[in-house]
Amino acid sequence: MDESIVLQAEHINKSFHDPVTIPVLKDVSLIIKKGEFVSVTGKSGCGKSTLLYILSTMDTDYEGDLYIGGQAMRGRTEKQLARVRNESIGFVFQFHYLLNEFTVLENVMLPGLKLGIHSEVEVKDLAMDRLNTLGIQSLAAKKADQLSGGEKQRVAIARALINSPSIVMCDEPTGNLDKKNSLVVFDIFKKLAEENKQTLLVVTHDQEFAKNTHRTIEMEDGRIIKQ
């Protein structure tokens, strides 16, 4: 297996049955390599978010094969898949899902504590390191509800990085942000990919954002038409 391949999908097919069968993904195959900053674009309803949920192992009802870090995801239990998600995948969504009653530092620490590999002190150090990387260490003691929208999304990115994932998957990460904050998030992703060799897969409607990533996968009607 090629060590540089972080994620590989082969002949993914997916249908919704409600009550008639509607194909949503049709024979989708792709490879994501280490340090790549890849965007997935296409009109609403083309299947890009559905694809992301399959690639992230959150949706297991599909045909085809998925490999993360060279390991087949087919036939794994939900507990095993949850472990893969926590160890290997960082998530950034359109909505940040921060817990308002916790501080920024505590929010970033959560996936690290859940993984259970490091002590609480070590997780705290890792969390501060991620906040430093994103230039928001000064927010560490603030409660999540005291932050601006742009700050919240940067905290969500720091949280996604806590367990040193092999890939960060993002679903419309700039969807709720204005142009200025969208650019800040883009610059963070670009820096992570180019300086830290962090692999990023971003579903986005934002053509300007997609145009500036290393590679754009275009989807139409459940198929990949360009990658």
Side-chain angles (χ1 to χ4, degrees):
M1 189 75 187
D2 186 339
E3 292 273 310
S4 70
I5 294 175
V6 173
L7 181 145
Q8 184 166 2
E10 293 180 347
H11 309 295
I12 300 287
N13 288 283
K14 163 88 180 170
S15 295
F16 288 141
H17 312 281
D18 186 24
V20 290
T21 298
I22 302 165
V24 193
L25 296 175
K26 304 161 190 170
D27 197 31
V28 171
S29 296
L30 59 88
I31 286 175
I32 310 285
K33 294 196 167 183
K34 184 169 172 55
E36 269 199 303
F37 178 11
V38 181
S39 53
V40 182
T41 65
K43 289 182 184 144
S44 246
C46 71
K48 55 189 188 297
S49 288
T50 303
L51 177 62
L52 193 73
Y53 279 96
I54 288 172
L55 298 181
S56 67
T57 80
M58 288 199 277
D59 181 351
T60 56
D61 180 22
Y62 61 89
E63 292 164 11
D65 291 296
L66 173 65
Y67 301 90
I68 295 175
Q71 303 291 312
M73 296 296 113
R74 266 237 171 274
R76 294 193 175 218
T77 65
E78 181 43 48
K79 193 176 175 187
Q80 288 169 327
L81 290 175
R83 182 84 186 168
V84 169
R85 285 195 290 274
N86 217 11
E87 277 184 355
S88 303
I89 306 172
F91 292 98
V92 180
F93 299 100
Q94 181 171 345
F95 186 70
H96 47 78
Y97 295 110
L98 299 179
L99 299 173
N100 284 332
E101 65 273 24
F102 285 10
T103 64
V104 162
L105 184 63
E106 287 165 342
N107 268 288
V108 173
M109 286 171 69
L110 280 174
L113 295 172
K114 190 177 167 193
L115 189 59
I117 289 175
H118 303 288
S119 70
E120 191 170 339
V121 172
E122 287 169 328
V123 173
K124 196 172 186 177
D125 287 344
L126 284 170
M128 279 309 295
D129 177 66
R130 303 306 186 259
L131 291 172
N132 268 315
T133 300
L134 302 189
I136 49 172
Q137 62 275 23
S138 61
L139 302 177
K142 280 194 170 185
K143 286 273 169 53
D145 59 1
Q146 296 175 295
L147 308 180
S148 69
E151 288 169 340
K152 284 176 179 170
Q153 201 56 311
R154 275 185 274 174
V155 173
I157 295 167
R159 181 184 57 191
L161 296 170
I162 186 73
N163 291 336
S164 305
S166 54
I167 187 166
V168 174
M169 297 189 185
C170 313
D171 194 4
E172 301 286 359
T174 58
N176 278 336
L177 302 178
D178 59 23
K179 193 161 177 58
K180 181 172 166 251
N181 279 305
S182 293
L183 286 171
V184 169
V185 167
F186 177 85
D187 288 342
I188 286 169
F189 285 162
K190 198 167 162 50
K191 185 179 168 194
L192 286 170
E194 290 172 5
E195 292 180 20
N196 300 24
K197 293 287 173 272
Q198 178 64 59
T199 311
L200 297 144
L201 180 63
V202 183
V203 163
T204 182
H205 271 106
D206 186 339
Q207 289 304 316
E208 194 64 23
F209 186 107
K211 196 174 76 185
N212 291 301
T213 58
H214 296 163
R215 178 159 68 98
T216 301
I217 295 171
E218 273 180 49
M219 292 188 70
E220 190 178 284
D221 193 26
R223 296 181 191 279
I224 289 177
I225 56 167
K226 175 178 168 276
Q227 58 174 324

